Amino acid sequence: MIKVAMTGVYVDDVAQAHAFYTDVLGFETRTRLDLGDGRLFVTVGAHGAQPDVQLLLEPGQGPIAEPYRGALYRAGIPCIVFSVDDLRAEYARLSGLGVRFTHRPRQRGPVLAAVFDDTVGNLVQLVQPKQ
């Protein structure tokens, strides 16, 4: 069986992304290595869950990442989707922390969905499956 072990998100600043994804979104740090020259290798994951799944916060500069990220953002396309148990509660919590949503919670087919700006160059979608 093949399973997802790690996926990456290109970010403007790895240290800033690490703070946002842990302090605001509530992820836990799985790996944080100082590679020298101001470079960090950071992975995060769902707090207390899915120990075999990690999100790599990757430097988003360069000839491949920058055009890709810019095109997604300008088109309003999230770079990643996270699931939540109660989207309306998470929307209220994150809004209270100053997170800027580009789309408030609304029904999208089989899910309730919302989109926010992660402060490091990306749009992120939250979804709650219909019960």
Side-chain angles (χ1 to χ4, degrees):
M1 167 178 26
I2 298 174
K3 302 186 310 182
V4 174
M6 184 182 299
T7 190
V9 172
Y10 291 119
V11 298
D12 293 336
D13 180 293
V14 174
Q16 181 181 336
H18 185 215
F20 180 83
Y21 278 72
T22 56
D23 298 344
V24 177
L25 297 185
F27 284 91
E28 65 186 13
T29 302
R30 299 281 172 83
T31 308
R32 187 179 192 286
L33 299 172
D34 186 339
L35 302 175
D37 299 326
R39 297 177 299 131
L40 295 173
F41 180 88
V42 175
T43 67
V44 297
H47 186 73
Q50 300 177 300
D52 59 340
V53 179
Q54 298 181 76
L55 178 64
L56 173 62
L57 303 175
E58 298 191 69
Q61 297 73 29
I64 295 172
E66 287 176 0
Y68 169 74
R69 293 173 63 225
L72 283 178
Y73 197 92
R74 285 187 301 277
I77 299 172
C79 71
I80 196 162
V81 179
F82 299 131
S83 66
V84 296
D85 293 329
D86 184 340
L87 180 60
R88 294 190 193 288
E90 200 61 37
Y91 173 81
R93 182 185 79 81
L94 293 173
S95 293
L97 293 172
V99 173
R100 186 180 70 82
F101 279 81
T102 60
H103 296 299
R104 299 168 65 89
R106 58 185 165 191
Q107 203 64 46
R108 291 286 187 202
V111 298
L112 183 63
V115 177
F116 66 85
D117 185 313
D118 74 354
T119 73
V120 285
N122 303 295
L123 298 176
V124 174
Q125 186 172 49
L126 297 178
V127 297
Q128 176 189 340
K130 281 186 182 177
Q131 301 296 339

